[in-house]
Amino acid sequence: MHDATARLAQEVEAMSQQLQEYLLDERLFKTISVQTPQGDWLIKMTLGGMLERLNTLETQSVAPEIVHQARETLSQSKSMMAEQYYQKLGREAKSYTDSWNWFLQNCWEGEGRCRADYPQEVAIRLRLEQLLQEGESHAALADSRQRLQTLDERLRTIWEDGEAISPGGTEHYPKGQYWWLYGRPQPQSDS
């Protein structure tokens, strides 16, 4: 296991251990400590951050026992602490929907950096997709789901298909569902 992958696995373990405490905490972005024999480091914990790390480990087919245990912990928390779980998902989805809207607003206003910045900024959209999939049709995510649908519709008006910019390729991110990973916006100009 590479150093980066081992670090992700350690972060997932720490998040799993602190998941219930996180769900009871008022903070959306909670700093937690990852303790290892090589030293401790601090990370921001969110449900989306945990899901993203799990997806990365699954995509790379590494640390299956850690992934399985973390998925079990998520499932148990979702069942036993459903209100807190979905409220955190909803709050995080709202936060990322706001960020995605802010970025896309620059595209619709014709800002020149939109196209160049898109590969980095699309991580927000990917995080949103993971949050919405996790939240399924729960009411706590209804507003973000609706807003994202509106943003996607508007993004399609300036969309230009192109090469994949996804980290996982088509087997993990099929083009039909993840169309926004296959191309870039073509910002409108004032001319």
Side-chain angles (χ1 to χ4, degrees):
M1 196 178 323
H2 293 46
D3 288 344
T5 305
R7 184 176 176 123
L8 278 182
Q10 292 167 328
E11 290 174 359
V12 165
E13 282 185 304
M15 289 176 155
S16 292
Q17 293 166 359
Q18 297 186 45
L19 182 58
Q20 288 189 2
E21 181 182 325
Y22 167 73
L23 292 174
L24 294 171
D25 195 292
E26 288 296 315
R27 292 171 285 185
L28 178 58
F29 298 95
K30 182 179 179 185
T31 301
I32 65 169
S33 178
V34 179
Q35 299 173 351
T36 70
Q38 298 80 24
D40 299 349
W41 66 86
L42 300 176
I43 61 171
K44 293 283 185 193
M45 178 167 182
T46 66
L47 289 172
M50 187 173 179
L51 292 167
E52 187 174 90
R53 286 169 175 85
L54 283 168
N55 289 340
T56 300
L57 292 173
E58 287 171 332
T59 299
Q60 296 174 1
S61 300
V62 294
E65 59 289 336
I66 292 170
V67 169
H68 175 75
Q69 183 58 46
R71 291 277 184 205
E72 284 293 314
T73 301
L74 278 169
S75 180
Q76 290 170 359
S77 296
K78 193 178 196 179
S79 176
M80 295 175 4
M81 304 175 74
E83 183 179 342
Q84 294 90 342
Y85 191 87
Y86 286 108
Q87 289 304 316
K88 286 280 178 147
L89 273 179
R91 287 177 56 204
E92 188 172 354
K94 181 188 179 316
S95 175
Y96 283 105
T97 303
D98 290 345
S99 293
W100 187 235
N101 180 58
W102 178 80
F103 169 71
L104 290 178
Q105 195 62 42
N106 292 327
C107 296
W108 295 315
E109 292 172 1
E111 189 201 277
R113 298 269 328 141
C114 170
R115 192 168 173 82
D117 291 347
Y118 188 81
Q120 293 77 35
E121 297 293 332
V122 77
I124 297 168
R125 178 62 179 85
L126 188 56
R127 172 74 60 96
L128 272 166
E129 189 69 23
Q130 292 166 345
L131 291 168
L132 294 175
Q133 286 176 12
E134 180 69 13
E136 301 169 14
S137 61
H138 196 278
L141 289 97
D143 182 61
S144 290
R145 188 175 305 283
Q146 180 58 48
R147 287 180 62 207
L148 187 58
Q149 182 179 346
T150 301
L151 292 172
D152 280 353
E153 288 169 4
R154 194 165 176 206
L155 177 58
R156 284 186 186 273
T157 66
I158 61 169
W159 189 252
E160 183 178 280
D161 285 333
E163 292 188 29
I165 55 174
S166 69
T170 56
E171 72 267 12
H172 297 289
Y173 301 111
K175 188 174 183 178
Q177 180 179 358
Y178 296 90
W179 60 269
W180 34 265
L181 288 174
Y182 296 88
R184 295 180 190 219
Q186 184 64 43
Q188 299 171 337
S189 63
D190 293 334
S191 56

